[in-house]
Amino acid sequence: MAEHKMLIDGALADGAQALDVINPATGSPFTTVARANEDDMLRAIAAAKKAQPAWAATPLADRQAALVKLADAIDANAVDLARTLVMEQGKPLEQAQAETAYAAIFLRHFAQQSLEPETVQEDEGYHIQAHYRPLGVVAGITPWNFPLLIGCYKLAPAVLLGNSFIWKAAPTTPVTALMIANLAKDIFPAGVVNVLVDKNDLGAVLTAHPDVAKISFTGSTPTGRKVMEAAASSLKRLTLELGGNDAGIVLPDADIAKTAQRAVGSAFNNAGQVCIALKRLYVHRSIYEEMCEAIAREAAEYALGDGLEQGTRVGPVQNAQQFEKAKTYLAAAHADGRIIAGGQVREGGGYFIEPTVVRDIAEGSRLVDEEQFAPILPVIAYDDPADVIARANASEYGLGGSVWSEDIDKALAVAAQIESGTVWINHHTHFGPHIPFGGAKQSGLGVEFGKEGLTEFAQRSVVSVSRQ
Ligand code: NAD
């Protein structure tokens, strides 16, 4: 029997099968989780559908209070959650602690929100208001890079607004999701929150089911396309947070030390497996030598190891499939550029890639053109400031981007030309529950966070009163 169970209709559920969960630092299983079959998923959808009207009728203050309770429960179990997160995901303990803390912070943020009716017109002829109603059953489909946080920040706005929620965790990182399920069981009425695990085989049940009103999906662009196709049959509401290939542009007057430190921090966070990590850095030729040296020095400070070992700053990549993919990007780094930090795979159990920096590389290399999702940063020289913007934009992705300069006006002028959902100046990757977040181009559809993000979990319904 699986060590960690799912939550379906208010009860912990074993599921028809169990799934081994591998610790990426060892390459060996460390626990087992319940795995759903199609019947389990259909049961969860039916339970969510049944529970939703009563939940929507529950006073907002009670729904808000439930989110605070879940945040409190996460804080009370933070030590366990963070250690488990390291074991299933691979990230260094400090980053797992931050992810756990953030999950509670996001829940508390959403617990303070509401969507009040908005007056659209108010005169002698009409009184027109936009109201926000729940959509019904919302499904959250989450990836393996931030398995705890992403699920929580989908659950929170969904249930706050009176929807019921089905969370389908990623198969290689299901444990912390099921720990949240165990906490949620005692907080939410049966069926309001359901948490299930599959083996990459049940997402389509959710995305095609007519009783699921909305899919909030975070994952890769190819899977996002499949989700969109499947959702078309019932015209589901969709939020798609997909892949990225964020470019940073370093202007000639950038602060070398600060840029190196922060750029490397973004590129190697979570072993590079962050949708909004810096994934390619363009540096003006006039400071290229100096910048490459500073970045290589900085990268050398990033100790590779098991996330539970003290001093580790980069853990293994998360799963065997990603490890194989990362090795091909490492091969591209060797073939297409000059390695100035790292460059090797660490053999002997676990999925370890040395934090790597490669220079003298350019477009045409897979490492530059594709999303590497690994701790391998290409540093690319440019001469023409106008041309570099076009190069940064020459991607199907448009998630984030950054500009680095001591002249903020100059940086802002460049930022205005970058085709992405977010542009950071003199930093990269910063986000929060109050900051609207979404992708341009094929990095996604719709927005999470901020008021705009909240409205995506609601149906706007205009009520128009004639006064004549
Ligand atoms: P993935 O697309 O393989 O999987 C994501 C989720 O989709 C998993 O839960 C998976 O089981 C599920 N899934 C698989 N097939 C499905 C289908 N046909 N229908 C519905 N669901 C299905 O992504 P991944 O490899 O887990 O995550 C890495 C990717 O996620 C990267 O591209 C990364 O950039 C992206 N990502 C984006 C954001 C963002 O906010 N934009 C955040 C984190 C990760």
Side-chain angles (χ1 to χ4, degrees):
M1 209 179 287
E3 265 185 79
H4 299 271
K5 298 182 196 310
M6 302 183 289
L7 178 61
I8 302 175
D9 199 10
L12 293 181
D14 264 317
Q17 300 163 71
L19 203 62
D20 281 339
V21 185
I22 290 175
N23 179 344
T26 62
S28 304
F30 73 98
T31 190
T32 53
V33 295
R35 172 185 165 191
N37 62 13
E38 190 166 343
D39 283 349
D40 294 321
M41 190 57 90
L42 293 174
R43 206 152 60 78
I45 296 171
K49 188 181 178 198
K50 183 159 160 256
Q52 189 269 329
W55 179 245
T58 304
L60 173 69
D62 294 356
R63 300 198 305 260
Q64 291 173 323
L67 292 181
V68 173
K69 269 193 201 161
L70 185 56
D72 289 345
I74 288 174
D75 284 342
N77 291 277
V79 172
D80 245 14
L81 281 164
R83 285 187 70 82
T84 307
L85 186 53
V86 175
M87 286 193 275
E88 71 172 341
Q89 204 281 336
K91 63 189 62 185
L93 183 59
E94 204 176 298
Q95 289 176 28
Q97 286 164 337
E99 181 173 343
T100 308
Y102 258 87
I105 288 168
F106 273 70
L107 283 161
R108 288 206 174 85
H109 171 87
F110 283 109
Q112 290 170 357
Q113 310 302 310
S114 61
L115 287 177
E116 303 304 330
E118 288 161 4
T119 300
V120 178
Q121 189 177 340
E122 175 76 270
D123 54 29
E124 62 284 358
Y126 296 96
H127 173 58
I128 305 178
Q129 277 194 320
H131 293 255
Y132 292 95
R133 321 257 194 232
L135 289 164
V137 178
V138 171
I141 301 180
T142 55
W144 44 255
N145 57 347
F146 290 88
L148 173 57
L149 176 60
I150 294 178
C152 287
Y153 71 52
K154 293 184 187 301
L155 177 157
V159 301
L160 170 80
L161 296 179
N163 303 290
S164 54
F165 187 68
I166 301 172
W167 176 1
K168 194 207 78 58
T172 57
T173 53
V175 190
T176 48
L178 296 186
M179 290 169 78
I180 298 294
N182 199 18
L183 302 174
K185 167 178 66 69
D186 300 327
I187 297 171
F188 295 94
V192 172
V193 172
N194 305 272
V195 186
L196 287 87
V197 175
D198 70 345
K199 204 176 175 191
N200 273 335
D201 54 349
L202 295 177
V205 177
L206 285 170
T207 54
H209 200 289
D211 288 340
V212 175
K214 180 195 164 84
I215 304 283
S216 178
F217 172 84
T218 300
S220 64
T221 296
T223 310
R225 287 193 192 102
K226 285 190 202 157
V227 170
M228 197 168 177
E229 263 174 48
S233 62
S234 51
L235 279 180
K236 286 187 205 324
R237 279 34 182 174
L238 279 182
T239 307
L240 302 177
E241 295 293 352
L242 308 177
N245 191 9
D246 288 16
I249 299 178
V250 185
L251 302 184
D253 70 342
D255 179 316
I256 303 266
K258 183 168 81 183
T259 303
Q261 189 206 12
R262 295 182 182 180
V264 169
S266 171
F268 293 163
N269 181 16
N270 199 20
Q273 303 162 117
V274 183
C275 53
I276 43 173
L278 175 70
K279 296 193 174 128
R280 47 195 172 120
L281 188 66
Y282 290 89
V283 178
H284 192 264
R285 181 100 47 201
S286 62
I287 54 167
Y288 189 63
E289 293 302 321
E290 233 186 315
M291 197 73 220
C292 284
E293 277 169 29
I295 288 176
R297 263 199 312 275
E298 191 63 36
E301 300 291 316
Y302 278 71
L304 177 69
D306 184 328
L308 288 177
E309 271 164 29
Q310 218 175 355
T312 293
R313 289 180 77 185
V314 177
V317 297
Q318 200 278 316
N319 58 66
Q321 197 185 345
Q322 187 61 29
F323 188 43
E324 291 311 313
K325 213 166 143 195
K327 285 184 200 170
T328 69
Y329 290 114
L330 196 60
H334 281 279
D336 303 334
R338 179 147 69 89
I339 307 278
I340 52 174
Q344 300 304 316
V345 172
R346 188 189 288 175
E347 301 292 353
Y351 311 139
F352 290 102
I353 302 264
E354 286 180 358
T356 297
V357 181
V358 54
R359 56 169 289 176
D360 304 331
I361 189 165
E363 293 84 353
S365 172
R366 291 185 53 215
L367 180 63
V368 176
D369 298 344
E370 298 174 14
E371 181 186 42
Q372 65 273 50
F373 233 55
I376 310 169
L377 177 66
V379 184
I380 306 150
Y382 74 89
D383 297 291
D384 178 356
D387 181 47
V388 75
I389 296 165
R391 291 167 73 182
N393 286 337
S395 168
E396 64 174 16
Y397 295 120
L399 196 54
S402 55
V403 186
W404 305 76
S405 169
E406 288 304 285
D407 182 335
I408 298 301
D409 288 337
K410 240 192 233 167
L412 285 169
V414 175
Q417 299 172 73
I418 294 183
E419 297 164 353
S420 63
T422 305
V423 188
W424 295 274
I425 292 177
N426 292 328
H427 65 153
H428 201 118
T429 308
H430 180 251
F431 70 103
H434 57 299
I435 308 170
F437 172 69
K441 301 193 277 188
Q442 293 183 41
S443 282
L445 196 72
V447 174
E448 290 192 290
F449 318 146
K451 171 150 188 232
E452 238 182 308
L454 202 55
T455 61
E456 293 202 11
F457 287 90
Q459 174 61 51
R460 189 183 293 100
S461 174
V462 170
V463 180
S464 177
V465 180
S466 168
R467 287 196 158 136
Q468 283 157 351

